[in-house]
Amino acid sequence: EIVMTQSPAILSVSPGERASLFCRASQNVRTNLAWYQQKPGQAPRLLIYAASTRATGIPARFSGSGSGTDFALTISSLQSEDFAVYFCQQYDNWPPEYTFGQGTSLEIK
Amino acid sequence: QLQLQESGPGLVKASETLSLTCTVSGDSIDSSNYYWGWVRQPPGKGLVWIGTIYYSGSTYYNPSLESRVTMSVDTSKNQFSLRLSSVTAADTAVYYCARLPLGYCISTSCYPVYFDDWGQGTLVTVSS
C-alpha cells in the first residue's frame, strides 16, 4: 500500500496570505496525485488532478506542484471560503488501491 | 449537471450487512468514460476508498475490506450499490458515492483515476 503523509496537520494562516500544504508518498506516484477540499458537513471537492491541473471551476489562486514522492498545494491569497480540510490522494497503482493522506486543516489565524 | 445521491438505512446492527445505493442523475452510468466508486469517512477522520465498479460489472476493492464488500450496478435504474457484511462499530462512517473518470491509458486499456464528483454522503451508524 502506498502511504500518503500530509504536513502540517494544522496550518493557521491569515486571510490574504499564502498557504502551502504538503503531501509525501511512500513511493513514486509520478504525477498521479489529486487534491480535495472538504468543508464541515460537506463532501470533498476535487481541486487538482495530475498533480498540477485545476479541476473545472477551481479558482486560479489554487495551484499544485510536484512529482514522484513530494507534492504541494499552494493557495496564493487566502479567502474566507478557503478555510477547510485538504486531502491528497494517489492513483498510481493498478489494480487500483487508492489511498488518501490524513488531511491538513487550514485554519484562520 | 451530474448528481449522485446515496440512500439506505442510517442504522445497522453489528454483525449484519450494510446496504447502500447511489442513484446517478445527469449522466448515464453506462458511459464508457467513467467508473463509479464508494469512499467512507469515520467521524472526525480521513477518507478511505472502499471499491470501484464499471458499468460492465468489473469491480476493484480495497484489499483491507475485500472479504466483506460486494458492489453491483443496475444500468436500468442508473444506480450502483454497496454491500458490506459482518459490520462492527469500526464501520460507522459517512459513506460517499463518487464518479471516477478514465485517466491514463496503456495500450487498449484505460484506468480510473481520481474522484471528480461526489454525493453528499450518508451517515451509517453500527449499533451493538
Side-chain angles (χ1 to χ4, degrees):
Chain A
E1 175 183 314
I2 300 175
V3 177
M4 307 302 291
T5 303
Q6 291 186 241
S7 61
I10 301 173
L11 181 61
S12 297
V13 183
S14 299
E17 292 190 339
R18 178 189 186 99
S20 294
L21 292 67
F22 302 96
C23 178
R24 173 166 287 176
S26 61
Q27 64 189 68
N28 184 3
V29 297
R30 297 178 287 180
T31 56
N32 294 316
L33 185 109
W35 289 95
Y36 302 86
Q37 176 193 67
Q38 186 178 35
K39 297 180 180 179
Q42 295 185 18
R45 177 176 70 144
L46 177 68
L47 297 176
I48 300 283
Y49 61 91
S52 61
T53 303
R54 278 190 303 277
T56 303
I58 301 303
R61 64 180 182 274
F62 290 90
S63 63
S65 63
S67 66
T69 60
D70 292 299
F71 301 87
L73 173 70
T74 300
I75 311 169
S76 60
S77 177
L78 280 164
Q79 307 297 302
S80 58
E81 62 266 30
D82 300 335
F83 293 95
V85 179
Y86 292 82
F87 294 95
C88 61
Q89 175 234 332
Q90 66 80 20
Y91 49 91
D92 190 67
N93 40 11
W94 189 262
E97 194 173 336
Y98 306 115
T99 48
F100 293 86
Q102 81 280 17
T104 290
S105 179
L106 180 57
E107 300 180 346
I108 300 175
K109 187 173 182 179
Chain B
Q1 177 86 12
L2 177 72
Q3 288 192 323
L4 300 98
Q5 180 67 59
E6 304 88 352
S7 59
L11 189 63
V12 180
K13 292 183 179 178
S15 79
E16 296 189 344
T17 296
L18 177 160
S19 295
L20 295 174
T21 295
C22 182
T23 301
V24 179
S25 57
D27 193 7
S28 177
I29 203 168
D30 62 5
S31 165
S32 60
N33 295 321
Y34 297 101
Y35 274 68
W36 307 89
W38 292 94
V39 174
R40 72 181 185 181
Q41 185 172 35
K45 296 189 178 181
L47 301 164
V48 177
W49 169 65
I50 300 171
T52 303
I53 190 166
Y54 199 45
Y55 75 93
S56 63
S58 176
T59 54
Y60 301 96
Y61 299 138
N62 186 325
S64 69
L65 297 169
E66 186 166 14
S67 63
R68 299 192 291 130
V69 172
T70 304
M71 292 178 61
S72 60
V73 61
D74 186 337
T75 55
S76 68
K77 295 181 179 180
N78 225 36
Q79 295 176 335
F80 62 102
S81 298
L82 168 71
R83 288 173 58 86
L84 180 66
S85 64
S86 304
V87 297
T88 69
D91 296 309
T92 293
V94 175
Y95 286 75
Y96 295 101
C97 60
R99 186 181 74 172
L100 298 88
L102 292 182
Y104 62 89
C105 299
I106 301 174
S107 184
T108 59
S109 298
C110 294
Y111 305 104
V113 283
Y114 44 82
F115 303 86
D116 71 347
D117 263 293
W118 299 64
Q120 65 185 24
T122 187
L123 175 63
V124 179
T125 302
V126 177
S127 66
S128 55

PDB file of all heavy atoms in Angstrom, chain A residues 7-34:
ATOM      1  N   SER A   7       1.501  17.240   5.585  1.00  0.00           N
ATOM      2  CA  SER A   7       2.022  18.126   6.609  1.00  0.00           C
ATOM      3  C   SER A   7       1.750  19.577   6.217  1.00  0.00           C
ATOM      4  O   SER A   7       1.660  19.892   5.037  1.00  0.00           O
ATOM      5  CB  SER A   7       3.528  17.900   6.781  1.00  0.00           C
ATOM      6  OG  SER A   7       4.212  18.182   5.578  1.00  0.00           O
ATOM      7  N   PRO A   8       1.576  20.437   7.238  1.00  0.00           N
ATOM      8  CA  PRO A   8       1.365  20.060   8.636  1.00  0.00           C
ATOM      9  C   PRO A   8      -0.044  19.523   8.847  1.00  0.00           C
ATOM     10  O   PRO A   8      -0.873  19.589   7.931  1.00  0.00           O
ATOM     11  CB  PRO A   8       1.564  21.392   9.345  1.00  0.00           C
ATOM     12  CG  PRO A   8       1.063  22.407   8.366  1.00  0.00           C
ATOM     13  CD  PRO A   8       1.446  21.886   7.006  1.00  0.00           C
ATOM     14  N   ALA A   9      -0.331  19.023  10.015  1.00  0.00           N
ATOM     15  CA  ALA A   9      -1.682  18.558  10.315  1.00  0.00           C
ATOM     16  C   ALA A   9      -2.645  19.727  10.436  1.00  0.00           C
ATOM     17  O   ALA A   9      -3.808  19.634  10.035  1.00  0.00           O
ATOM     18  CB  ALA A   9      -1.672  17.738  11.601  1.00  0.00           C
ATOM     19  N   ILE A  10      -2.135  20.816  11.011  1.00  0.00           N
ATOM     20  CA  ILE A  10      -2.930  22.033  11.164  1.00  0.00           C
ATOM     21  C   ILE A  10      -2.067  23.205  10.705  1.00  0.00           C
ATOM     22  O   ILE A  10      -0.883  23.288  11.047  1.00  0.00           O
ATOM     23  CB  ILE A  10      -3.361  22.248  12.630  1.00  0.00           C
ATOM     24  CG1 ILE A  10      -4.181  21.052  13.124  1.00  0.00           C
ATOM     25  CG2 ILE A  10      -4.157  23.545  12.781  1.00  0.00           C
ATOM     26  CD1 ILE A  10      -4.511  21.106  14.619  1.00  0.00           C
ATOM     27  N   LEU A  11      -2.669  24.098   9.923  1.00  0.00           N
ATOM     28  CA  LEU A  11      -1.969  25.280   9.426  1.00  0.00           C
ATOM     29  C   LEU A  11      -2.837  26.492   9.700  1.00  0.00           C
ATOM     30  O   LEU A  11      -3.993  26.538   9.260  1.00  0.00           O
ATOM     31  CB  LEU A  11      -1.692  25.130   7.928  1.00  0.00           C
ATOM     32  CG  LEU A  11      -0.949  26.267   7.238  1.00  0.00           C
ATOM     33  CD1 LEU A  11       0.440  26.446   7.845  1.00  0.00           C
ATOM     34  CD2 LEU A  11      -0.839  25.988   5.740  1.00  0.00           C
ATOM     35  N   SER A  12      -2.298  27.450  10.427  1.00  0.00           N
ATOM     36  CA  SER A  12      -3.018  28.686  10.741  1.00  0.00           C
ATOM     37  C   SER A  12      -2.438  29.822   9.910  1.00  0.00           C
ATOM     38  O   SER A  12      -1.247  30.121  10.004  1.00  0.00           O
ATOM     39  CB  SER A  12      -2.881  29.017  12.231  1.00  0.00           C
ATOM     40  OG  SER A  12      -3.480  28.004  13.017  1.00  0.00           O
ATOM     41  N   VAL A  13      -3.297  30.445   9.105  1.00  0.00           N
ATOM     42  CA  VAL A  13      -2.862  31.489   8.180  1.00  0.00           C
ATOM     43  C   VAL A  13      -3.899  32.612   8.192  1.00  0.00           C
ATOM     44  O   VAL A  13      -5.104  32.350   8.340  1.00  0.00           O
ATOM     45  CB  VAL A  13      -2.698  30.936   6.753  1.00  0.00           C
ATOM     46  CG1 VAL A  13      -2.168  32.004   5.805  1.00  0.00           C
ATOM     47  CG2 VAL A  13      -1.758  29.727   6.737  1.00  0.00           C
ATOM     48  N   SER A  14      -3.446  33.813   8.006  1.00  0.00           N
ATOM     49  CA  SER A  14      -4.363  34.964   7.960  1.00  0.00           C
ATOM     50  C   SER A  14      -4.953  35.115   6.564  1.00  0.00           C
ATOM     51  O   SER A  14      -4.283  34.815   5.561  1.00  0.00           O
ATOM     52  CB  SER A  14      -3.618  36.242   8.341  1.00  0.00           C
ATOM     53  OG  SER A  14      -3.107  36.154   9.656  1.00  0.00           O
ATOM     54  N   PRO A  15      -6.184  35.599   6.468  1.00  0.00           N
ATOM     55  CA  PRO A  15      -6.773  35.875   5.144  1.00  0.00           C
ATOM     56  C   PRO A  15      -5.889  36.810   4.345  1.00  0.00           C
ATOM     57  O   PRO A  15      -5.275  37.743   4.888  1.00  0.00           O
ATOM     58  CB  PRO A  15      -8.112  36.518   5.498  1.00  0.00           C
ATOM     59  CG  PRO A  15      -8.449  35.977   6.846  1.00  0.00           C
ATOM     60  CD  PRO A  15      -7.134  35.847   7.560  1.00  0.00           C
ATOM     61  N   GLY A  16      -5.790  36.542   3.056  1.00  0.00           N
ATOM     62  CA  GLY A  16      -4.951  37.347   2.178  1.00  0.00           C
ATOM     63  C   GLY A  16      -3.533  36.837   2.067  1.00  0.00           C
ATOM     64  O   GLY A  16      -2.808  37.209   1.129  1.00  0.00           O
ATOM     65  N   GLU A  17      -3.117  35.998   2.997  1.00  0.00           N
ATOM     66  CA  GLU A  17      -1.766  35.446   2.949  1.00  0.00           C
ATOM     67  C   GLU A  17      -1.740  34.181   2.094  1.00  0.00           C
ATOM     68  O   GLU A  17      -2.743  33.656   1.658  1.00  0.00           O
ATOM     69  CB  GLU A  17      -1.249  35.167   4.361  1.00  0.00           C
ATOM     70  CG  GLU A  17      -1.014  36.422   5.176  1.00  0.00           C
ATOM     71  CD  GLU A  17      -0.287  36.144   6.482  1.00  0.00           C
ATOM     72  OE1 GLU A  17      -0.305  34.996   6.945  1.00  0.00           O
ATOM     73  OE2 GLU A  17       0.286  37.101   7.042  1.00  0.00           O
ATOM     74  N   ARG A  18      -0.519  33.683   1.902  1.00  0.00           N
ATOM     75  CA  ARG A  18      -0.280  32.492   1.088  1.00  0.00           C
ATOM     76  C   ARG A  18      -0.185  31.272   1.994  1.00  0.00           C
ATOM     77  O   ARG A  18       0.379  31.341   3.086  1.00  0.00           O
ATOM     78  CB  ARG A  18       1.038  32.697   0.337  1.00  0.00           C
ATOM     79  CG  ARG A  18       1.519  31.574  -0.528  1.00  0.00           C
ATOM     80  CD  ARG A  18       2.938  31.922  -0.989  1.00  0.00           C
ATOM     81  NE  ARG A  18       3.486  30.992  -1.940  1.00  0.00           N
ATOM     82  CZ  ARG A  18       3.497  31.192  -3.247  1.00  0.00           C
ATOM     83  NH1 ARG A  18       2.963  32.275  -3.760  1.00  0.00           N
ATOM     84  NH2 ARG A  18       4.047  30.310  -4.058  1.00  0.00           N
ATOM     85  N   ALA A  19      -0.758  30.157   1.542  1.00  0.00           N
ATOM     86  CA  ALA A  19      -0.683  28.920   2.312  1.00  0.00           C
ATOM     87  C   ALA A  19      -0.085  27.825   1.442  1.00  0.00           C
ATOM     88  O   ALA A  19      -0.433  27.693   0.258  1.00  0.00           O
ATOM     89  CB  ALA A  19      -2.069  28.507   2.782  1.00  0.00           C
ATOM     90  N   SER A  20       0.814  27.049   2.039  1.00  0.00           N
ATOM     91  CA  SER A  20       1.420  25.916   1.340  1.00  0.00           C
ATOM     92  C   SER A  20       1.207  24.647   2.154  1.00  0.00           C
ATOM     93  O   SER A  20       1.581  24.584   3.327  1.00  0.00           O
ATOM     94  CB  SER A  20       2.920  26.162   1.118  1.00  0.00           C
ATOM     95  OG  SER A  20       3.115  27.236   0.231  1.00  0.00           O
ATOM     96  N   LEU A  21       0.600  23.662   1.526  1.00  0.00           N
ATOM     97  CA  LEU A  21       0.318  22.384   2.150  1.00  0.00           C
ATOM     98  C   LEU A  21       1.119  21.320   1.409  1.00  0.00           C
ATOM     99  O   LEU A  21       1.305  21.412   0.185  1.00  0.00           O
ATOM    100  CB  LEU A  21      -1.177  22.048   2.050  1.00  0.00           C
ATOM    101  CG  LEU A  21      -2.184  22.890   2.827  1.00  0.00           C
ATOM    102  CD1 LEU A  21      -2.284  24.322   2.314  1.00  0.00           C
ATOM    103  CD2 LEU A  21      -3.547  22.233   2.809  1.00  0.00           C
ATOM    104  N   PHE A  22       1.556  20.294   2.137  1.00  0.00           N
ATOM    105  CA  PHE A  22       2.461  19.317   1.553  1.00  0.00           C
ATOM    106  C   PHE A  22       1.921  17.895   1.689  1.00  0.00           C
ATOM    107  O   PHE A  22       1.194  17.569   2.634  1.00  0.00           O
ATOM    108  CB  PHE A  22       3.835  19.430   2.210  1.00  0.00           C
ATOM    109  CG  PHE A  22       4.426  20.806   2.061  1.00  0.00           C
ATOM    110  CD1 PHE A  22       4.300  21.743   3.073  1.00  0.00           C
ATOM    111  CD2 PHE A  22       5.074  21.166   0.888  1.00  0.00           C
ATOM    112  CE1 PHE A  22       4.817  23.022   2.926  1.00  0.00           C
ATOM    113  CE2 PHE A  22       5.589  22.438   0.732  1.00  0.00           C
ATOM    114  CZ  PHE A  22       5.466  23.372   1.744  1.00  0.00           C
ATOM    115  N   CYS A  23       2.326  17.070   0.727  1.00  0.00           N
ATOM    116  CA  CYS A  23       1.909  15.672   0.691  1.00  0.00           C
ATOM    117  C   CYS A  23       3.092  14.847   0.202  1.00  0.00           C
ATOM    118  O   CYS A  23       3.713  15.185  -0.808  1.00  0.00           O
ATOM    119  CB  CYS A  23       0.716  15.525  -0.256  1.00  0.00           C
ATOM    120  SG  CYS A  23       0.096  13.849  -0.477  1.00  0.00           S
ATOM    121  N   ARG A  24       3.420  13.798   0.927  1.00  0.00           N
ATOM    122  CA  ARG A  24       4.533  12.926   0.551  1.00  0.00           C
ATOM    123  C   ARG A  24       4.015  11.498   0.389  1.00  0.00           C
ATOM    124  O   ARG A  24       3.296  10.988   1.263  1.00  0.00           O
ATOM    125  CB  ARG A  24       5.634  12.979   1.594  1.00  0.00           C
ATOM    126  CG  ARG A  24       6.764  11.987   1.375  1.00  0.00           C
ATOM    127  CD  ARG A  24       7.958  12.320   2.221  1.00  0.00           C
ATOM    128  NE  ARG A  24       8.657  13.514   1.707  1.00  0.00           N
ATOM    129  CZ  ARG A  24       9.700  14.077   2.314  1.00  0.00           C
ATOM    130  NH1 ARG A  24      10.144  13.583   3.456  1.00  0.00           N
ATOM    131  NH2 ARG A  24      10.259  15.133   1.791  1.00  0.00           N
ATOM    132  N   ALA A  25       4.415  10.866  -0.707  1.00  0.00           N
ATOM    133  CA  ALA A  25       4.057   9.473  -0.965  1.00  0.00           C
ATOM    134  C   ALA A  25       5.191   8.549  -0.544  1.00  0.00           C
ATOM    135  O   ALA A  25       6.366   8.909  -0.654  1.00  0.00           O
ATOM    136  CB  ALA A  25       3.760   9.283  -2.450  1.00  0.00           C
ATOM    137  N   SER A  26       4.833   7.362  -0.084  1.00  0.00           N
ATOM    138  CA  SER A  26       5.853   6.417   0.388  1.00  0.00           C
ATOM    139  C   SER A  26       6.622   5.773  -0.760  1.00  0.00           C
ATOM    140  O   SER A  26       7.649   5.127  -0.525  1.00  0.00           O
ATOM    141  CB  SER A  26       5.204   5.336   1.255  1.00  0.00           C
ATOM    142  OG  SER A  26       4.243   4.604   0.492  1.00  0.00           O
ATOM    143  N   GLN A  27       6.130   5.933  -1.979  1.00  0.00           N
ATOM    144  CA  GLN A  27       6.865   5.503  -3.159  1.00  0.00           C
ATOM    145  C   GLN A  27       6.459   6.391  -4.336  1.00  0.00           C
ATOM    146  O   GLN A  27       5.503   7.159  -4.235  1.00  0.00           O
ATOM    147  CB  GLN A  27       6.613   4.022  -3.467  1.00  0.00           C
ATOM    148  CG  GLN A  27       5.189   3.669  -3.819  1.00  0.00           C
ATOM    149  CD  GLN A  27       4.971   2.161  -3.889  1.00  0.00           C
ATOM    150  OE1 GLN A  27       5.031   1.457  -2.882  1.00  0.00           O
ATOM    151  NE2 GLN A  27       4.711   1.664  -5.089  1.00  0.00           N
ATOM    152  N   ASN A  28       7.189   6.261  -5.423  1.00  0.00           N
ATOM    153  CA  ASN A  28       6.980   7.112  -6.586  1.00  0.00           C
ATOM    154  C   ASN A  28       5.569   6.940  -7.157  1.00  0.00           C
ATOM    155  O   ASN A  28       5.171   5.833  -7.531  1.00  0.00           O
ATOM    156  CB  ASN A  28       8.022   6.739  -7.652  1.00  0.00           C
ATOM    157  CG  ASN A  28       7.952   7.624  -8.876  1.00  0.00           C
ATOM    158  OD1 ASN A  28       7.178   8.575  -8.948  1.00  0.00           O
ATOM    159  ND2 ASN A  28       8.776   7.313  -9.865  1.00  0.00           N
ATOM    160  N   VAL A  29       4.789   8.044  -7.221  1.00  0.00           N
ATOM    161  CA  VAL A  29       3.463   8.007  -7.843  1.00  0.00           C
ATOM    162  C   VAL A  29       3.429   8.868  -9.104  1.00  0.00           C
ATOM    163  O   VAL A  29       2.365   9.215  -9.607  1.00  0.00           O
ATOM    164  CB  VAL A  29       2.353   8.444  -6.851  1.00  0.00           C
ATOM    165  CG1 VAL A  29       2.285   7.485  -5.673  1.00  0.00           C
ATOM    166  CG2 VAL A  29       2.551   9.884  -6.378  1.00  0.00           C
ATOM    167  N   ARG A  30       4.616   9.239  -9.590  1.00  0.00           N
ATOM    168  CA  ARG A  30       4.738  10.075 -10.800  1.00  0.00           C
ATOM    169  C   ARG A  30       3.942  11.364 -10.580  1.00  0.00           C
ATOM    170  O   ARG A  30       4.211  12.074  -9.607  1.00  0.00           O
ATOM    171  CB  ARG A  30       4.280   9.268 -12.016  1.00  0.00           C
ATOM    172  CG  ARG A  30       5.186   8.037 -12.251  1.00  0.00           C
ATOM    173  CD  ARG A  30       4.759   7.199 -13.400  1.00  0.00           C
ATOM    174  NE  ARG A  30       3.544   6.436 -13.091  1.00  0.00           N
ATOM    175  CZ  ARG A  30       2.958   5.619 -13.957  1.00  0.00           C
ATOM    176  NH1 ARG A  30       3.440   5.486 -15.186  1.00  0.00           N
ATOM    177  NH2 ARG A  30       1.884   4.937 -13.614  1.00  0.00           N
ATOM    178  N   THR A  31       2.985  11.692 -11.425  1.00  0.00           N
ATOM    179  CA  THR A  31       2.126  12.863 -11.180  1.00  0.00           C
ATOM    180  C   THR A  31       0.684  12.426 -10.973  1.00  0.00           C
ATOM    181  O   THR A  31      -0.259  13.201 -11.186  1.00  0.00           O
ATOM    182  CB  THR A  31       2.217  13.879 -12.339  1.00  0.00           C
ATOM    183  OG1 THR A  31       1.877  13.215 -13.560  1.00  0.00           O
ATOM    184  CG2 THR A  31       3.599  14.502 -12.432  1.00  0.00           C
ATOM    185  N   ASN A  32       0.499  11.198 -10.543  1.00  0.00           N
ATOM    186  CA  ASN A  32      -0.848  10.663 -10.330  1.00  0.00           C
ATOM    187  C   ASN A  32      -1.356  11.011  -8.942  1.00  0.00           C
ATOM    188  O   ASN A  32      -1.538  10.136  -8.074  1.00  0.00           O
ATOM    189  CB  ASN A  32      -0.846   9.153 -10.578  1.00  0.00           C
ATOM    190  CG  ASN A  32      -0.552   8.833 -12.034  1.00  0.00           C
ATOM    191  OD1 ASN A  32      -1.088   9.476 -12.945  1.00  0.00           O
ATOM    192  ND2 ASN A  32       0.319   7.862 -12.265  1.00  0.00           N
ATOM    193  N   LEU A  33      -1.587  12.299  -8.744  1.00  0.00           N
ATOM    194  CA  LEU A  33      -1.980  12.814  -7.444  1.00  0.00           C
ATOM    195  C   LEU A  33      -3.085  13.850  -7.591  1.00  0.00           C
ATOM    196  O   LEU A  33      -3.031  14.685  -8.488  1.00  0.00           O
ATOM    197  CB  LEU A  33      -0.782  13.452  -6.732  1.00  0.00           C
ATOM    198  CG  LEU A  33      -1.149  13.891  -5.315  1.00  0.00           C
ATOM    199  CD1 LEU A  33      -0.489  12.997  -4.285  1.00  0.00           C
ATOM    200  CD2 LEU A  33      -0.862  15.340  -5.087  1.00  0.00           C
ATOM    201  N   ALA A  34      -4.056  13.768  -6.689  1.00  0.00           N
ATOM    202  CA  ALA A  34      -5.164  14.723  -6.661  1.00  0.00           C
ATOM    203  C   ALA A  34      -5.233  15.377  -5.294  1.00  0.00           C
ATOM    204  O   ALA A  34      -4.799  14.810  -4.289  1.00  0.00           O
ATOM    205  CB  ALA A  34      -6.478  14.015  -6.965  1.00  0.00           C
TER     206      ALA A  34
END
